[in-house]
Amino acid sequence: MIYKVSYVVVGEQHPGEIVNQDLPPEVGDPVTLGGEEFEIVEIIDLAPPRGDFAYLHATCKPV
Amino acid sequence: MRIGQKEAGMSMSVTDLLRRSELFYALTPEQIEQIIDLGQEKVYNARDIIIEEGDPSDEIYIVCQGMVEVEVSQGVVPDVPGRLQVNPIVRLGRGQVFGEMGLIDRGARSATVRCAEDGTTLFVVPRQALVGLCEGNHDIGYIVMRNIAADLSFKLRHRNLQMGLAGEEV
């Protein structure tokens, strides 16, 4: 499965990121976006899967 | 983006990486090779400008590895006549496509895209060559256009969530 993930930061004007990754993100995971550290606080399905692609949204907060 | 131990290894070839881009979803290996034959790899360093807002749209780009940042201008910088204030709107990593709007509407670049990491590798396909392939082979053309539409939809959903969450309290 290829996980296409939209990372968005809550409470900031951070642009967020869109990346393909091999493993799904999980709530509580640490992530580095643009050199800054964040923690994932929510994961939702952004759209139904198509073939090998899953479409996820991860909401992040600063740590 | 780094996600600790979940980051994948980078031992794949560019061809393998491109096959894992949504742009190529549902194409046969032979059809993917036809597109790969049209383009070439280019490597950029941090701060390099890849495309500039307002320029003609001649190419479509796929991020094989590394990261780029998309920014749009928002008026002029106060007290600095003529200098545009830029606003980063998203960063795009492995597997992502940019420059696709110009493929569809032939309009000028809607944003500036700047390399965000040294050694970022992009696969670059000339617009006219890809359009020619899609028009000459409607099976490929339909799939590529559907994949581009799905990608644009994903980016819109990302942008909507970003704008909605930016003002929320943590």
Side-chain angles (χ1 to χ4, degrees):
Chain A
M1 204 75 180
I2 299 165
Y3 299 90
K4 182 170 179 173
V5 186
S6 150
Y7 288 92
V8 168
V9 176
V10 64
E12 290 191 9
Q13 293 298 325
H14 194 287
E17 290 184 5
I18 300 174
V19 294
N20 287 1
Q21 56 190 67
D22 299 321
L23 295 171
E26 293 175 10
V27 171
D29 278 348
V31 289
T32 304
L33 306 173
E36 298 176 64
E37 303 292 327
F38 299 94
E39 179 186 335
I40 297 173
V41 294
E42 184 184 38
I43 305 283
I44 61 171
D45 291 324
L46 208 51
R50 284 202 308 153
D52 288 339
F53 281 85
Y55 303 95
L56 302 176
H57 165 74
T59 303
C60 307
K61 70 171 187 179
V63 292
Chain B
M1 197 272 318
R2 278 204 324 270
I3 187 165
Q5 70 279 14
K6 289 190 172 181
E7 188 175 24
M10 289 304 304
S11 57
M12 285 185 279
S13 69
V14 170
T15 301
D16 289 335
L17 288 167
L18 291 175
R19 286 186 176 131
R20 296 169 59 78
S21 170
E22 191 183 15
L23 180 65
F24 299 96
Y25 168 67
L27 291 172
T28 66
E30 292 75 21
Q31 290 171 328
I32 292 171
E33 288 299 330
Q34 285 182 264
I35 296 177
I36 289 174
D37 286 345
L38 302 176
Q40 62 176 320
E41 286 177 59
K42 290 186 180 175
V43 180
Y44 294 84
N45 289 317
R47 306 299 300 164
D48 286 350
I49 290 178
I50 302 160
I51 62 177
E52 194 149 19
E53 190 174 342
D55 282 354
S57 301
D58 299 324
E59 293 164 321
I60 184 169
Y61 299 79
I62 302 141
V63 181
C64 296
Q65 103 181 38
M67 185 70 65
V68 302
E69 186 165 275
V70 183
E71 56 190 35
V72 294
S73 57
Q74 286 191 322
V76 295
V77 176
D79 303 325
V80 186
R83 181 189 241 183
L84 292 174
Q85 187 163 311
V86 295
N87 181 32
I89 56 171
V90 69
R91 292 163 60 91
L92 301 174
R94 187 154 58 110
Q96 307 314 305
V97 176
F98 62 93
E100 74 280 26
M101 286 172 61
L103 181 78
I104 303 296
D105 64 13
R106 292 185 297 163
R109 296 297 190 198
S110 62
T112 294
V113 180
R114 195 183 294 274
C115 181
E117 291 178 4
D118 285 340
T120 292
T121 305
L122 306 179
F123 190 75
V124 187
V125 183
R127 179 193 169 280
Q128 199 54 49
L130 185 55
V131 168
L133 177 63
C134 291
E135 289 181 348
N137 183 328
H138 288 178
D139 287 343
I140 294 177
Y142 171 75
I143 293 171
V144 167
M145 293 303 161
R146 187 183 63 187
N147 290 342
I148 288 175
D151 182 66
L152 286 170
S153 173
F154 189 93
K155 286 173 179 155
L156 273 175
R157 291 179 188 278
H158 169 88
R159 185 72 173 145
N160 289 343
L161 286 162
Q162 181 192 45
M163 294 178 75
L165 289 171
E168 282 192 14
E169 290 187 14
V170 180

